[in-house]
Amino acid sequence: MRNEKRQARMREIEGHAYALFAEVGFESTSMLVVAKRAKASNETMYRWYGDKSGLFSSMVQANAALVRDHLDNANPEGMPPMEALEQVSSVLLRMLLGDRAILLNRAAASDPTGALGQLLAVGGREDVLPLIERLLVAAVKIGALRPPQGWDIAKLFLHLLVGDQQIRRVIGVMPAPSEDEIAAQVARAMDGLRAVCV
């Protein structure tokens, strides 16, 4: 199977896995159930993913790649870094609070070994955070921001942008935000960043 077709088929299989995670949770979702739902052979599932952790890892990587692609597309060349940061922040917040990210975080939170959390950290946050850092460093270089002493400016900004919203989504006490709510939260985070980094 050619690589493009295989990748498309993997995303299709993973779409079925997301649906099962939503219906019965990660723990109750087996490779066999995903294979049946996706009309895939067990052989294909184990050859492509290895096991359920491999499937989870592939889902995390695909979601991070989607976020990365959106962030890259939201940052056209030549845009001032603060303007690019605001545009990128909307994309990032939408993705972090989206259903797929929430399902992956729920699975990681329910894993007593912490292995899924490690996969999520490496394939998610650690993959996307450098993109935000680049914009913040560019803003500092041109004097648009001055990072507070002793603070990691990227982590500070993520705290202002996301806060506890993702965990509130994970535990089911906050619905997915509307586009207006995302825009308002991004504006608050940008205002907060400017207020702290003067």
Side-chain angles (χ1 to χ4, degrees):
M1 183 179 287
R2 287 174 42 191
N3 192 48
E4 301 83 29
K5 284 189 175 181
R6 176 176 164 160
Q7 290 299 315
R9 179 64 173 135
M10 288 176 76
R11 299 299 82 85
E12 183 183 342
I13 290 168
E14 291 161 16
H16 290 290
Y18 277 116
L20 285 162
F21 290 0
E23 290 168 25
V24 300
F26 177 80
E27 197 59 40
S28 298
T29 300
S30 68
M31 292 286 276
L32 178 60
V33 172
V34 175
K36 284 183 178 177
R37 176 75 66 95
K39 295 182 174 58
S41 70
N42 270 343
E43 180 186 345
T44 296
M45 294 294 292
Y46 285 99
R47 188 173 66 244
W48 287 356
Y49 300 108
D51 58 14
K52 194 162 75 165
S53 288
L55 172 62
F56 181 87
S57 180
S58 181
M59 293 167 76
V60 169
Q61 289 170 8
N63 200 47
L66 185 62
V67 172
R68 217 173 31 251
D69 291 347
H70 278 84
L71 292 178
D72 286 343
N73 291 335
N75 182 20
E77 290 294 322
M79 183 182 284
M82 290 299 283
E83 190 178 324
L85 180 65
E86 187 167 359
Q87 193 167 334
V88 160
S89 296
S90 295
V91 173
L92 181 60
L93 191 59
R94 189 177 302 110
M95 294 293 193
L96 289 174
L97 300 181
D99 291 340
R100 287 191 167 194
I102 297 308
L103 288 168
L104 293 172
N105 276 275
R106 282 183 181 148
S110 70
D111 173 26
T113 70
L116 297 181
Q118 287 298 316
L119 291 171
L120 193 57
V122 170
R125 181 184 176 103
E126 292 174 19
D127 198 30
V128 172
L129 189 60
L131 301 170
I132 299 297
E133 286 174 335
R134 265 200 321 261
L135 291 173
L136 289 165
V137 166
V140 169
K141 279 185 180 175
I142 65 167
L145 294 174
R146 192 175 71 200
Q149 196 163 358
W151 282 83
D152 178 321
I153 193 169
K155 289 180 182 174
L156 170 65
F157 181 66
L158 281 181
H159 175 72
L160 292 168
L161 181 65
V162 184
D164 68 348
Q165 293 178 93
Q166 194 175 53
I167 192 66
R168 288 170 58 216
R169 286 272 291 129
V170 168
I171 64 173
V173 297
M174 178 182 156
S178 68
E179 288 301 312
D180 287 345
E181 289 168 330
I182 287 172
Q185 179 58 28
V186 168
R188 282 191 292 271
M190 296 297 293
D191 288 347
L193 184 67
R194 289 185 183 99
V196 172
C197 298
V198 291

